Amino acid sequence: MSDFYLLPLDELRRHKSEKWRAFPADVLPLPVAEMDFPVAEPIRRTLLEMVNNSDLGYLGSIPEMGEAFSTFATRRFGWTPDPAQIRIAADVGVGIVETLRVITKAGDKIMINSPVYPNFWTWATETRLEIVDVPLTFDEVEINGSPWILDWDGIESAYKSGIKVHLICNPHNPLGRVYTKAELERLVELATAHGVIIISDEIHAPLTFSEQRFTPFLSLGPAACAVGITVTAASKGWNIAGLKCAIIITQDATMHARLDAIAPATHYRASLLGAFATVAAFKEGEPWLDALMVQLDSNRRLVEELLATHLPLAKSHLPHCSYLSWIDFGGYEIGAEPHSHLVENAKVAFVPGARFGEKFANFVRLNFATSPAILEEAITRVARTLH
Ligand SMILES: Cc1ncc(COP(=O)(O)O)c(C=O)c1O
């Protein structure tokens, strides 16, 4: 669907969002996880109606949210969560931080698995938790089409040493990895045995490519629901992060009751526009999402082709979700911080790999939710500076 790449560069440069304000005009920005495509019609219609009706007050009761998400999850993932156990927060970050505040105390240990979305560190620091990083390992023997493997021995021995919460990113940013049902079941088993709570950040789930099956953590049955909490949003899938709304999901009476300690204000600190745009996305946004995935599928393959042709020493793998390529520039002699070299010399901006974990300084993250023309220009610009 061509609509997805019709936003012209000069129009994008007038955008007020971070992606288009962070760099000078001669830099092509491929960092921040926002998409350069027009917003879905049902969302635009909802927002315009509310603005035209001067309906811009506080967020109150919104039974539509639980119902819309549950129906979406049934259609998309074959999982029907109980809408009564769905709470609202301003964004996924707030949802996770407010959850951590009520299930941990300062000094508790939280496990993350790098390379991972940089805010996994900041959320843990904000809640004064001790971070235990058990990095994914790289193995030529792929699991589920990805060479990035969970370090089971490392996870188990850390669990034994007293982890309170394990924050997982599924599907995974920046690896584009979708955890298998078997992997998640193994985590449930270990978490149950060692009294660990698993928070599953599923914000990228709507963006799973069709060759993969995304397994919602809480769809795994009562044992998973007893140890699990999911935080997700429509903000990544439908590109509405600026509208500020996310959901926190439990599916177990005891876990649900534990989260009753979350401050009631967490609900109305989300935005009214964001909440109703989210309902519109879950309820009516799937045709747009399906068309988006066709474009993203073509873009992820284009990135791999462009890299193979123009940057043969750069290593990456076809992602199975979302719009992020994780690229190892270690084969090129461009210093300890490839992103700095590339933004200065090629005038293309990526996210530095070190933000996802200190071991990953050779990497950059590329956002391919843009036009094929911009991707081609970016990668050929980079190639020109490296040869
Ligand atoms: C894994 C993950 N979680 C959360 C977020 C941010 O979500 P929010 O803006 O709702 O806090 C992102 C943004 O890219 C992300 O990749």
Side-chain angles (χ1 to χ4, degrees), residues 21-354:
R21 284 202 165 184
F23 300 93
D26 59 345
V27 171
L28 279 179
L30 301 181
V32 188
E34 296 171 22
M35 300 193 265
D36 294 342
F37 307 129
V39 167
E41 189 280 330
I43 296 176
R44 274 200 256 189
R45 182 176 10 100
T46 302
L47 295 173
L48 286 172
E49 265 170 29
M50 292 175 74
V51 172
N52 288 336
N53 291 339
S54 301
D55 185 3
L56 298 174
Y58 287 110
L59 175 62
S61 160
I62 177 166
E64 294 94 331
M65 180 66 80
E67 283 154 29
F69 179 74
S70 185
T71 311
F72 168 76
T74 306
R75 282 194 307 264
R76 204 84 185 169
F77 310 132
W79 169 50
T80 307
D82 171 9
Q85 292 200 33
I86 296 180
R87 295 177 156 85
I88 292 180
D91 59 26
V92 166
V94 170
I96 291 176
V97 165
E98 294 303 329
T99 299
L100 289 173
R101 282 192 215 288
V102 301
I103 60 172
T104 62
K105 56 182 186 331
D108 282 346
K109 289 185 189 163
I110 182 168
M111 182 191 289
I112 60 174
N113 310 103
S114 67
V116 75
Y117 176 58
N119 279 322
F120 275 35
W121 271 270
T122 57
W123 298 332
T125 308
E126 189 177 339
T127 46
R128 295 185 293 155
L129 299 174
E130 183 187 328
I131 297 171
V132 177
D133 179 19
V134 178
L136 285 116
T137 57
F138 187 89
D139 199 320
E140 293 307 331
V141 182
E142 300 190 348
I143 292 203
N144 205 25
S146 170
W148 294 94
I149 314 283
L150 285 166
D151 170 2
W152 290 105
D153 291 344
I155 291 173
E156 188 163 5
S157 67
Y159 272 24
K160 278 185 188 150
S161 78
I163 296 291
K164 185 74 188 223
V165 173
H166 184 179
L167 178 55
I168 64 170
C169 193
N170 184 38
H172 196 280
N173 167 8
L175 300 178
R177 170 90 152 74
V178 180
Y179 289 131
T180 62
K181 188 164 180 266
E183 286 172 311
L184 296 170
E185 282 172 344
R186 195 163 169 188
L187 284 177
V188 171
E189 224 171 88
L190 287 173
T192 307
H194 299 288
V196 175
I197 295 174
I198 296 186
I199 300 181
S200 185
D201 177 340
E202 299 184 356
I203 193 171
H204 290 273
L207 298 170
T208 305
F209 289 105
S210 59
E211 80 272 6
Q212 285 284 330
R213 184 162 180 79
F214 166 71
T215 305
F217 188 84
L218 297 176
S219 71
L220 291 172
C225 297
V227 298
I229 299 164
T230 291
V231 185
T232 190
S235 59
K236 204 61 37 191
W238 285 269
N239 205 30
I240 51 173
L243 290 174
K244 292 291 162 197
C245 182
I247 52 177
I248 306 169
I249 311 168
T250 50
Q251 291 293 294
D252 170 270
T254 308
M255 190 64 93
H256 185 62
R258 272 184 94 169
L259 297 201
D260 283 343
I262 291 178
T266 305
H267 175 96
Y268 59 75
R269 286 176 182 151
S271 106
L272 183 73
L273 288 175
F276 281 91
T278 298
V279 170
F282 288 140
K283 228 169 136 175
E284 301 173 71
E286 271 182 282
W288 183 92
L289 185 65
D290 290 338
L292 168 74
M293 294 313 291
V294 172
Q295 185 62 52
L296 293 182
D297 181 36
S298 157
N299 286 11
R300 70 177 167 151
R301 294 177 197 282
L302 176 67
V303 169
E304 290 297 294
E305 276 165 34
L306 289 168
L307 290 174
T309 308
H310 301 288
L311 294 167
L313 302 182
K315 288 189 232 136
S316 70
H317 288 82
L318 195 70
H320 295 311
C321 73
S322 209
Y323 48 82
L324 308 165
S325 291
W326 181 239
I327 309 171
D328 183 355
F329 272 88
Y332 290 97
E333 310 242 317
I334 49 174
E337 293 183 336
H339 77 282
S340 307
H341 179 96
L342 298 173
V343 76
E344 274 159 36
N345 296 285
K347 304 288 178 202
V348 183
F350 303 99
V351 184

